[in-house]
Amino acid sequence: MQNGYIERFNSKFRDECLNEHWFQNLRQARAEIADWRTDYNEVRPHRSIGRIPPAHYAEPLCRQNGDASRLPAHNPFH
C-alpha cells in the first residue's frame, strides 16, 4: 500500500465509473469520466468532511484565502 487515500479513490473510481461503463470511443470515455468527476467533487457528500460535497466545503476556504478563481463554475448549493 503506497497511499491509502489515493488507493481508496482509485478503487471508487474503478468500481463506480470504469466498471459501470463500456466505452465505445475516447470521446465517450472522456464524457462519462467528466460526469463522474463532477458528481464526485461537487454533488456527492463525503463522510470525511462532515457529509458535505467537497466543492461546498472548499467554497469558504477559497473565499477566505482570496482564491475565488478556484471555486467550481457550477455550484448547486447557491
Side-chain angles (χ1 to χ4, degrees):
M1 178 183 244
Q2 295 292 323
N3 183 326
Y5 295 109
I6 297 301
E7 290 188 22
R8 181 175 168 95
F9 171 80
N10 288 342
S11 174
K12 281 193 165 296
F13 179 60
R14 185 177 49 256
D15 290 344
E16 297 175 5
C17 185
L18 299 179
N19 290 346
E20 295 293 320
H21 301 283
W22 183 271
F23 303 119
Q24 299 294 320
N25 54 52
L26 187 56
R27 184 179 353 181
Q28 180 192 15
R30 286 179 176 155
E32 292 291 346
I33 290 168
D35 288 345
W36 183 87
R37 186 178 56 234
T38 299
D39 179 64
Y40 187 83
N41 289 324
E42 298 181 20
V43 178
R44 178 188 306 184
H46 290 241
R47 181 179 49 198
S48 64
I49 55 175
R51 297 207 177 273
I52 60 174
H56 189 63
Y57 177 81
E59 186 174 306
L61 299 174
C62 289
R63 290 191 198 291
Q64 174 183 332
N65 293 332
D67 198 6
S69 65
R70 295 191 59 163
L71 291 173
H74 173 268
N75 188 342
F77 296 97
H78 294 327

